[in-house]
Amino acid sequence: MLAKRIQPMVFQARRLYVELMFQVMGRALQAVSEIDSAVQKEARALPDGFLFEMMVMPDGSRLIVEHTGNGRFHYHGDSAPRPVDLSIQFKHIAHAFLVLSFQEKTSVAFANDRMLVDGDISYAIRMTRVLNRLETFILPKLVAKRAVKEYPSNLHLPEKLLSAARIYLKVATHFVETVRA
Amino acid sequence: MTNQYYEFFCPVKVIAGKAALEHIPYELTGLAAKRPMIVTDKGVRAAGLLDPVVAACEESGLEIISIYDDVPPDSSTDVVRDIAGIYRSEKCDSIIAVGGGSAIDTAKAVNILVSEGGDDIAAYSGAGVIKHPLKPFLVVPTTAGTGSEVTSVAVITDTTKSVKLPFTSSFLLPNAAVIDPRMTLTLPPHITAATAMDAMTHATEAFTCMAKNPLSDAYATAAVKKISTSLLQVMDNPKDSDGRLELAQASTMAGIAFSNSMVGLVHALGHATGAICHLPHGLCMSLYLPYVLEYNLESIRAPLGELLLYLEGPDVYSATPASRRAEASISALRKMRDELHKRCKLPRTLKETGSVEEHQLDTIADMAMDDGAMMFNPKEVSLDDARAVLKRAWA
């Protein structure tokens, strides 16, 4: 009985968590593309104006970023200025929660058919590498190990801490700017 | 509670064995089809492989309305449009693909156009675009390797944009795959070897990559066992129709396995090598398989060790310490490649192919990094890792 009463609140909390994580990730993608040369190198292969979306089916939370050129991403929030070029879609919010709460690696989620790719698969692979790179920076090593297939052995603590601090600072600034606007 | 989750799907009826072709009329009648079109290539026709298919249908009073036998090795959107035009003008109502990967993929794409309408196959490119069942469709494979008869994917080249268009939908799957040993009996030795190693790679990667699951494992191990047992026998005695049937069934089983568990780095490197150096897919698979298994070794030690049972049999498996079984599996595959090299000069290194230049390795590695199969490789692969594997495979 109690579980039945609590269930709607659990669902609501899960939905809010996924929405918040998308907002953080979108801003963090923009931030990491401003500070990390490896991410910039990956992003440069995408066409200028390329719109990437990550969303929960059928019409749930989403994040949209655009490659504005020269390896830089711009976070558009949850609405795209035109049809997106690549969409990674979670089949259900429960699957998005598994990935965004780091209970399931992104690669495992793909292997488990939790997500669909609508668009060029090679760009999806590239964006996954960018997301992995971002996660290794912004998550504590123990958590990052749960999120990515393999934690990079050449990422040392000083670089990780410095990059994470810069990304979080930019994310926080962006949040404040959004609130002010 | 375990986090394991998997999906498995294969609705294709498999019709296999002696006189399997003679089941085609019955199967088509069961699908209410009376005016079939055959899609094939010149090589199949020249080898006389079309004759038993046509005879089997005519003997049952089923007339083949049209035969298109000009599918190129790398099929294009123009070819698909032309065939769809013939299908419509001849008022056909079903398709029989007879051939290897290209003929089967072309027939799948033709089936999209004639079922969904229009002339622009590119409009249906991507995953999940097709929402309805297509026209009755049978596949008769003439190679034992690609497994295309049980995969829900087709790749067609868009000649105007010079890109490869992927089509993915469960509706692309044929109603039935007809596996008759007569269709592979005349395969030349080097194609027999390369296509069998293609199937071996499908099964091995299906069993060791990230999306492996209990059902795909069952198909993969059975396929490995059949290929290990029959391949060299068939190489020594090409007219061994039992052995041919074993290889053809193994190819279908490996196809079912990998289409439900995906493949990894061998395919990523193989796709790139095929695109850049125009090497046959099966050859690329045979070439890279042991080098990639060595690269992945520590991530796949348990399943790779288990494969030894199917590669070498119970005696060798039980005599090999558990800690050495994974290495022994790689050795067994190397031994098989050496035997194939002895029998038909199937290259074991990139240098032996004579078609790859060392300076192309970096380009191959770059392209492989963006291949979809990379996602399912059990070990993360950096650009340097891919280059290192290619260097080892060079000579």
Side-chain angles (χ1 to χ4, degrees):
Chain A
M1 190 65 189
L2 185 65
K4 255 193 170 177
R5 283 195 175 182
I6 290 174
Q7 204 175 42
M9 285 189 279
V10 172
F11 286 169
Q12 175 74 352
R14 193 167 68 178
R15 197 179 56 75
L16 288 172
Y17 176 82
V18 169
E19 208 167 298
L20 177 68
M21 284 304 288
F22 272 162
Q23 288 185 25
V24 172
M25 277 174 64
R27 289 175 169 91
L29 275 171
Q30 180 175 318
V32 76
S33 76
E34 289 165 6
I35 65 156
D36 184 56
S37 58
V39 165
Q40 286 164 3
K41 193 177 165 200
E42 292 282 7
R44 273 193 200 102
L46 304 169
D48 290 358
F50 177 87
L51 281 173
F52 167 70
E53 171 191 69
M54 217 168 171
M55 58 99 66
V56 179
M57 291 174 82
D59 195 25
S61 310
R62 68 188 66 208
L63 74 85
I64 289 151
V65 294
E66 177 178 358
H67 175 232
T68 52
N70 208 23
R72 301 295 173 93
F73 290 123
H74 173 73
Y75 174 55
H76 279 286
D78 60 1
S79 62
R82 54 187 179 280
V84 296
D85 299 288
L86 172 68
S87 179
I88 294 181
Q89 304 166 347
F90 289 99
K91 288 180 179 174
H92 193 279
I93 193 160
H95 306 147
F97 183 74
L98 278 176
V99 172
L100 297 174
S101 59
F102 316 110
Q103 295 175 63
E104 193 164 275
K105 297 174 196 290
T106 311
S107 52
V108 172
F110 269 114
N112 286 354
D113 283 309
R114 312 284 202 196
M115 301 191 282
L116 299 175
V117 173
D118 187 5
D120 190 323
I121 191 79
S122 63
Y123 291 147
I125 300 293
R126 195 166 279 271
M127 285 307 298
T128 306
R129 283 203 294 270
V130 170
L131 286 165
N132 284 346
R133 177 91 178 155
L134 171 65
E135 285 171 340
T136 55
F137 279 143
I138 65 172
L139 299 173
K141 189 173 177 178
L142 272 176
V143 182
K145 277 182 164 179
R146 295 170 63 94
V148 299
K149 202 189 279 183
E150 201 169 292
Y151 190 84
S153 57
N154 58 356
L155 179 61
H156 302 297
L157 194 60
E159 184 192 357
K160 180 184 168 76
L161 288 180
L162 191 63
S163 301
R166 292 174 70 191
I167 292 168
Y168 277 122
L169 188 63
K170 281 176 182 286
V171 169
T173 311
H174 196 281
F175 261 116
V176 171
E177 282 170 0
T178 310
V179 171
R180 277 189 184 157
Chain B
M1 192 179 82
T2 174
N3 271 346
Q4 198 198 13
Y5 170 88
Y6 68 89
E7 295 180 6
F8 186 93
F9 183 68
C10 183
V12 180
K13 180 173 182 177
V14 176
I15 297 164
K18 189 177 169 67
L21 293 175
E22 280 68 17
H23 283 256
I24 292 175
Y26 172 79
E27 291 302 325
L28 284 177
T29 309
L31 295 163
K34 293 173 183 152
R35 298 178 62 81
M37 172 189 212
I38 288 181
V39 176
T40 186
D41 61 57
K42 288 249 187 290
V44 168
R45 187 157 221 179
L49 297 177
L50 226 44
D51 302 338
V53 180
V54 175
C57 292
E58 285 178 349
E59 214 179 335
S60 268
L62 182 74
E63 188 191 354
I64 302 291
I65 301 300
S66 179
I67 297 176
Y68 185 94
D69 67 355
D70 207 11
V71 174
D74 209 359
S75 195
S76 69
T77 46
D78 294 341
V79 174
V80 171
R81 193 190 53 232
D82 292 348
I83 303 174
I86 298 169
Y87 179 100
R88 287 173 183 140
S89 65
E90 297 286 345
K91 296 189 170 48
C92 298
D93 62 6
S94 51
I95 300 173
I96 305 172
V98 184
S102 182
I104 297 171
D105 276 14
T106 304
K108 285 176 180 172
V110 170
N111 203 12
I112 297 173
L113 272 192
V114 299
S115 305
E116 295 279 307
D119 283 324
D120 181 18
I121 187 66
Y124 300 101
S125 172
V129 180
I130 302 151
K131 308 283 187 197
H132 313 286
L134 308 181
K135 302 280 185 195
F137 178 38
L138 266 54
V139 170
V140 185
T142 58
T143 62
T146 67
S148 302
E149 67 277 14
V150 284
T151 64
S152 52
V153 181
V155 179
I156 301 290
T157 304
D158 185 337
T159 35
T160 50
K161 293 181 187 161
S162 296
V163 290
K164 292 206 169 196
L165 299 173
F167 301 85
T168 310
S169 166
S170 57
F171 294 121
L172 292 184
L173 286 162
N175 299 92
V178 185
I179 298 157
D180 191 301
R182 282 173 286 178
M183 304 310 279
T184 51
L185 215 50
T186 54
L187 268 184
H190 66 283
I191 297 182
T192 303
T195 50
M197 287 307 286
D198 186 13
M200 177 66 97
T201 307
H202 288 156
T204 306
E205 288 214 291
F207 195 71
T208 54
C209 285
M210 288 184 70
K212 79 197 287 312
N213 63 69
L215 296 181
S216 69
D217 283 356
Y219 282 99
T221 50
V224 169
K225 188 177 175 188
K226 282 185 188 301
I227 299 166
S228 306
T229 311
S230 302
L231 178 54
L232 296 180
Q233 284 175 18
V234 169
M235 293 300 289
D236 292 336
N237 178 18
K239 295 291 173 199
D240 172 5
S241 62
D242 288 343
R244 289 284 188 187
L245 180 61
E246 286 292 278
L247 290 182
Q249 289 177 114
S251 165
T252 301
M253 294 169 99
I256 294 171
F258 92 83
S259 62
N260 282 283
S261 64
M262 307 309 287
V263 283
L265 180 57
V266 184
H267 275 75
L269 293 172
H271 292 153
T273 311
I276 293 165
C277 307
H278 308 289
L279 282 177
H281 178 71
L283 165 56
C284 296
M285 298 297 98
S286 175
L287 208 152
Y288 288 129
L289 182 58
Y291 301 104
V292 170
L293 292 177
E294 280 165 2
Y295 172 76
N296 284 335
L297 184 59
E298 292 314 319
S299 305
I300 59 171
R301 187 169 276 285
L304 187 58
E306 210 181 310
L307 270 190
L308 184 63
L309 177 62
Y310 308 97
L311 283 163
E312 293 276 47
D315 292 344
V316 173
Y317 181 81
S318 56
T320 309
S323 61
R324 299 293 305 160
R325 283 176 187 154
E327 285 87 348
S329 292
I330 298 175
S331 299
L333 288 165
R334 283 186 175 279
K335 199 170 72 185
M336 184 175 285
R337 293 185 341 144
D338 290 341
E339 291 298 324
L340 294 173
H341 185 258
K342 256 190 232 166
R343 287 166 171 83
C344 68
K345 295 274 174 277
L346 188 73
R348 295 159 298 181
T349 62
L350 288 166
K351 202 173 178 183
E352 279 180 1
T353 66
S355 305
V356 184
E357 306 280 336
E358 200 168 3
H359 68 81
Q360 292 177 302
L361 300 190
D362 283 355
T363 322
I364 295 172
D366 278 339
M367 187 184 269
M369 288 304 291
D370 285 342
D371 192 278
M374 238 8 153
M375 181 68 78
F376 304 101
N377 195 64
K379 188 176 171 186
E380 192 68 84
V381 186
S382 69
L383 185 58
D384 287 341
D385 295 332
R387 284 177 181 152
V389 173
L390 286 167
K391 279 212 174 93
R392 279 199 292 276
W394 169 250

